[in-house]
Amino acid sequence: MHPSASEWLFFREMRVGTGRQNAGAQRVDGFALNTLPHMAMKRICYEVKTSRADFLTELKQPIKRRIGMRYSNEFYFVTPAALVKIGEIPAECGLVEAGFATFDEWKELIGRHSGFFNYDPERRAYCMITVPAPWRDTPGPTWQLVAAMLRNQRRQFVEKPPARPVQERLDLL
């Protein structure tokens, strides 16, 4: 859903906090940061729920989303299609549904939803905003969050370093 790599930074499984004494620090499943000032440096938090029981447990413990709500302008639950009912989504949250579909199935989904869509025909994967999250003005990030983002990014590069650039040989006349 964040197609421009130069505009967005995306962090997976980010622990918010630093040091060993914060071993119990909360994690966010996904965190996206828009890097452009004219986009208000928008911050979006994603909480992935793969089972209905997990989602219902989250609803009973709203304190668990507190850290994601604190640092983001928008907060989304990400679930498989039809896992939750639209009316179950808390007013301060949004819903992104994700799954796999053929192109024809995906076109049918478009007719039923009016939210943003992203479809990868190669993988047959899609995601769509079913319930838009309301915008919340939140204070800027703390140094702990900045450190967590940098640590997360470093880990990504260590585990999966970027591919070497492809170089072409130029034939000179």
Side-chain angles (χ1 to χ4, degrees), residues 9-107:
L9 295 174
F10 187 78
F11 305 95
R12 288 185 173 97
E13 282 293 316
M14 187 175 70
R15 186 175 70 139
V16 181
T18 58
R20 295 194 185 274
Q21 69 272 18
N22 289 332
Q26 280 188 284
R27 292 181 180 268
V28 294
D29 291 335
F31 189 83
L33 169 67
N34 188 290
T35 60
L36 300 178
H38 73 276
M39 294 294 289
M41 305 219 35
K42 182 178 186 177
R43 300 174 312 274
I44 305 173
C45 186
Y46 299 96
E47 181 65 28
V48 177
K49 298 297 172 192
T50 57
S51 73
R52 182 147 178 82
D54 190 18
F55 176 75
L56 294 174
T57 299
E58 179 81 23
L59 291 182
K60 290 177 186 171
Q61 299 173 347
I63 197 79
K64 285 180 63 184
R65 352 181 237 284
R66 183 184 73 200
I67 198 79
M69 299 287 285
R70 156 63 175 93
Y71 291 119
S72 66
N73 304 115
E74 295 178 1
F75 184 97
Y76 283 95
F77 286 106
V78 180
T79 69
L83 182 77
V84 301
K85 297 176 183 92
I86 290 174
E88 294 175 312
I89 301 298
E92 69 275 10
C93 302
L95 175 64
V96 173
E97 292 181 316
F100 297 95
T102 65
F103 186 73
D104 290 334
E105 291 168 335
W106 178 69
K107 286 194 312 190

Side-chain angles (χ1 to χ4, degrees), residues 153-166:
Q153 200 68 2
R154 183 175 147 278
R155 188 180 71 229
Q156 289 290 334
F157 280 119
V158 170
E159 291 173 5
K160 296 184 290 181
R164 293 181 57 102
V166 177

